[in-house]
Amino acid sequence: NAGVTQTPKFQVLKTGQSMTLQCAQDMNHEYMSWYRQDPGMGLRLIHYSVGAGITDQGEVPNGYNVSRSTTEDFPLRLLSAAPSQTSVYFCASSYEGQSFSYEQYFGPGTRLTVT
Amino acid sequence: QQQVKQSPQSLIVQKGGISIINCAYENTAFDYFPWYQQFPGKGPALLIAIRPDVSEKKEGRFTISFNKSAKQFSLHIMDSQPGDSATYFCAARAGGATNKLIFGTGTLLAVQP
């Protein structure tokens, strides 16, 4: 099992550019989510999905799009990058609504800088 | 209502000492309270978790104390070691059918040898 994988590890964008952060998991988890981590602000939920074809907004969704066409993949799209989106992005996955295990498994992160 | 407040922001403890990190919440619908540990350059990983019908859970040197009436929970690290130096996040599951987690702002722990 590779667990949760994220690509790229590092990315530098210019303001206004768009890009897609990739996330994949091989644990057959229904629930997947994207967080951003900024100093002093913890992990803030951007978007999440409870299964293929189903997505919803989290705490800070503006400027980001997601889709979930398969159970395994949950890409995050930055539509028009802004310096305020400079952050470390984490993808996570878990079983959905199963009381035996709520544990979320995190990927290694993508460090994004927008200049 | 959806917030989880965490303190302190940073903590320095001597090797062998006890590290204590506190969290508080408002939403009584939260139904699962995990602690995540994050080392530099890595993603967070589950350390220990508790459900609100239990007042304490211990795993090795790590203990969660949970006070339902006060809506507070804390992580205690006994016999703290330099290898415990990391950022710790408390979190709460939003409840209901989805596994959405609300995270605290994190505590940077440094254990001095």
Side-chain angles (χ1 to χ4, degrees), chain A residues 35-50:
Chain A
Y35 296 88
R36 59 177 291 174
Q37 183 176 13
D38 302 290
M41 303 194 77
L43 292 153
R44 293 183 292 167
L45 184 64
I46 304 172
H47 285 285
Y48 65 98
S49 168
V50 299

Side-chain angles (χ1 to χ4, degrees), chain B residues 74-108:
Chain B
S74 59
L75 176 69
H76 296 236
I77 306 175
M78 312 300 287
D79 187 27
S80 299
Q81 299 297 311
D84 297 330
S85 297
T87 299
Y88 293 82
F89 293 97
C90 63
R93 183 178 181 270
T98 184
N99 212 10
K100 191 165 68 172
L101 288 181
I102 311 298
F103 281 86
T105 50
T107 296
L108 179 61

Side-chain angles (χ1 to χ4, degrees), chain A residues 11-114:
Chain A
Q11 183 71 49
V12 179
L13 289 179
K14 291 189 183 339
T15 297
Q17 287 184 318
S18 62
M19 80 158 294
T20 299
L21 279 62
Q22 301 291 344
C23 174
Q25 52 90 11
D26 61 359
M27 297 173 281
N28 203 31
H29 285 163
E30 302 93 344
Y31 182 88
M32 296 186 74
S33 54
W34 277 101
Y35 296 88
R36 59 177 291 174
Q37 183 176 13
D38 302 290
M41 303 194 77
L43 292 153
R44 293 183 292 167
L45 184 64
I46 304 172
H47 285 285
Y48 65 98
S49 168
V50 299
I54 307 169
T55 63
D56 205 347
Q57 295 182 350
E59 190 183 351
V60 288
N62 292 342
Y64 307 95
N65 264 3
V66 291
S67 60
R68 183 102 177 264
S69 56
T70 66
T71 299
E72 296 77 21
D73 301 298
F74 190 43
L76 178 73
R77 296 183 192 84
L78 278 70
L79 308 172
S80 177
S84 61
Q85 293 179 304
T86 293
S87 187
V88 181
Y89 292 86
F90 289 101
C91 178
S93 74
S94 72
Y95 292 107
E96 169 64 4
Q98 300 289 340
S99 60
F100 62 86
S101 178
Y102 292 146
E103 178 175 0
Q104 292 201 16
Y105 295 80
F106 282 80
T110 294
R111 185 174 293 274
L112 175 69
T113 302
V114 183

